[in-house]
Amino acid sequence: MRLYFWWDLVLHNKNYEEHFANALGRDELGIIKVWQELGNLLFVPVDEITEMVKAIEATLVPNAYKMAIHVRMGGNWYDQADEGRQRNKKLPLHVAQCALAVVPFHLRNEPINYLIVSDNADAKNLVRYIIATAEDNEEPGGRLDTTAESALDALGVQNASLRHWLKRLQVKVYRYKSGSRVVVVNRQAARNETVDIQQALAEVYALGLGDRLVRTTGSTFCTAAYAMFPKPTFYVLEKELTCHAQATMEPIVFGNSEGVIATIVQHGRDKCFRAKEMTYFPWLFTAT
C-alpha cells in the first residue's frame, strides 16, 4: 500500500511526467490519474477476499446509498508510524458527524447503508451510536449478530460460503425503522493468521465499493479504498476535528489533499512547492 510513495518520485521526474500524463490523463487539479486508472488492475483479490466482500455486501439494503466510514485510532501493530500513540479520542465522534453531514441532500429521507471499519472496537461503537441518534428507532429485533443462524436467516443470506464468512467476520447489523442499516465488521484483525490480512484487504475493498467515503487522515489502508475506487471522499483532521472534502483521489504525495491545500496556502510560490522539480516536500516523509 505504500507503493504510491515511489510513484510520486517517478511521476514528477521531468523526463517522464508528461509521458505519464499523456497516457493516464490528469484530474481537475492537474494530478496524474495513476491509481484511478491502474489501481483496481493491481489489486485483484483472491477467492477468500472476494467471498468476504460479497458477505459484507449481502448484509446491506439492496440498491441503497452506501456511506463507507473508516476510523484509524492507532496504538497497535498497524500503526508503526505513530509509535504506539493512540489518536484523539474524539475522532470517532467527529467522523460520524461528518458522515451524517455529507449525505447527499436529496437522499436524506431515503434508506442509507453505513459501513463502519476501524482498528479500534470502541471507535466502531461510538460511530454507530452517533449514527443511530440521527436515524429513527431500531426495528423490533433490529440488532442482528451474524454469528447466529437466526440472524443469517433474517437477512436472507442462503449461500453457505457467505454465511461462513459472516460468522467468521462477526458482522453485526443494526436495522432502523427509517430503512437504514449500520453494518459493523466486529472481528478485530490481528496478524496471527492469514485470514487477518485477508480481512484487512476485504475491508479496504468493501470501503472502496461505497458511494461516498469519510475517513481519518494518516492511513494507507483507507488511501487504497478511495484511490482505487474514486468517489467523493471527506476526511477529519485529528487536531482541528474538522471535516474537509478530499481535493483529489490520487494518494501520491503531491496529490494528498492536505498537503496540496496546506502548501498552497502557506507557501504560495515558495521553493517548497515545486512539484516538477522535486525540490523539497515538507510532508514527504509523513504518513498519508
Side-chain angles (χ1 to χ4, degrees):
M1 289 185 187
R2 289 192 174 277
L3 183 61
Y4 67 83
F5 172 83
W6 301 108
W7 267 113
D8 191 71
L9 300 178
V10 175
L11 290 176
H12 293 106
N13 182 308
K14 61 183 179 181
N15 296 316
Y16 305 117
E17 180 176 2
E18 289 309 315
H19 295 291
F20 279 109
N22 291 335
L24 302 173
R26 296 179 184 269
D27 65 15
E28 61 183 10
L29 294 181
I31 311 301
I32 298 173
K33 298 186 291 185
V34 178
W35 291 107
Q36 182 173 332
E37 298 298 325
L38 302 180
N40 57 2
L41 299 178
L42 297 175
F43 183 15
V44 181
V46 298
D47 291 343
E48 291 84 353
I49 296 174
T50 299
E51 288 298 291
M52 289 185 193
V53 175
K54 287 181 179 179
I56 294 170
E57 292 282 306
T59 65
L60 304 175
V61 178
N63 303 315
Y65 198 83
K66 178 178 170 183
M67 181 68 71
I69 301 170
H70 179 252
V71 181
R72 173 174 165 174
M73 293 301 292
N76 51 54
W77 76 269
Y78 288 108
D79 225 359
Q80 298 171 9
D82 285 349
E83 299 179 348
R85 177 187 67 86
Q86 192 173 80
R87 299 183 172 205
N88 192 326
K89 292 183 178 180
K90 294 182 179 179
L91 262 178
L93 166 64
H94 289 270
V95 169
Q97 291 176 337
C98 180
L100 292 170
V102 302
V103 171
F105 180 78
H106 67 285
L107 295 174
R108 291 185 179 177
N109 292 321
E110 301 295 325
I112 302 290
N113 288 308
Y114 299 93
L115 173 63
I116 302 171
V117 172
S118 178
D119 59 352
N120 182 280
D122 291 337
K124 294 176 187 177
N125 290 330
L126 182 53
V127 172
R128 179 187 64 79
Y129 175 78
I130 297 302
I131 292 174
T133 62
E135 295 291 340
D136 291 337
N137 295 328
E138 289 183 11
E139 292 181 1
R143 296 191 179 196
L144 300 175
D145 184 338
T146 61
T147 58
E149 293 288 340
S150 58
L152 297 171
D153 292 337
L155 289 168
V157 180
Q158 301 300 321
N159 182 282
S161 176
L162 302 188
R163 291 172 77 98
H164 163 76
W165 285 115
L166 285 171
K167 290 179 182 179
R168 189 77 184 268
L169 295 173
Q170 302 169 20
V171 174
K172 291 190 175 181
V173 182
Y174 302 82
R175 301 182 298 179
Y176 298 90
K177 290 181 179 179
S178 63
S180 295
R181 288 185 188 177
V182 171
V183 175
V184 182
V185 181
N186 205 50
R187 182 181 183 273
Q188 287 298 115
R191 59 175 175 179
N192 300 323
E193 303 178 60
T194 301
V195 70
D196 293 317
I197 307 304
Q198 290 174 336
Q199 176 185 331
L201 293 173
E203 289 175 338
V204 168
Y205 214 93
L207 288 170
L209 295 177
D211 295 297
R212 187 157 290 193
L213 176 64
V214 176
R215 66 180 186 90
T216 50
T217 55
S219 174
T220 51
F221 176 98
C222 199
T223 290
Y226 70 76
M228 292 190 295
F229 308 91
K231 64 181 61 59
T233 300
F234 298 80
Y235 61 91
V236 175
L237 293 173
E238 179 183 2
K239 293 182 180 179
E240 294 85 351
L241 296 175
T242 50
C243 178
H244 303 268
Q246 188 83 22
T248 174
M249 296 301 100
E250 291 297 325
I252 55 176
V253 175
F254 181 52
N256 178 301
S257 61
E258 299 100 299
V260 169
I261 295 170
T263 304
I264 291 175
V265 172
Q266 295 173 13
H267 300 288
R269 297 178 180 275
D270 187 82
K271 66 179 180 180
C272 292
F273 192 60
R274 291 182 183 172
K276 291 185 178 180
E277 297 177 20
M278 284 299 294
T279 307
Y280 169 66
F281 290 84
W283 64 94
L284 184 61
F285 297 106
T286 61
T288 59

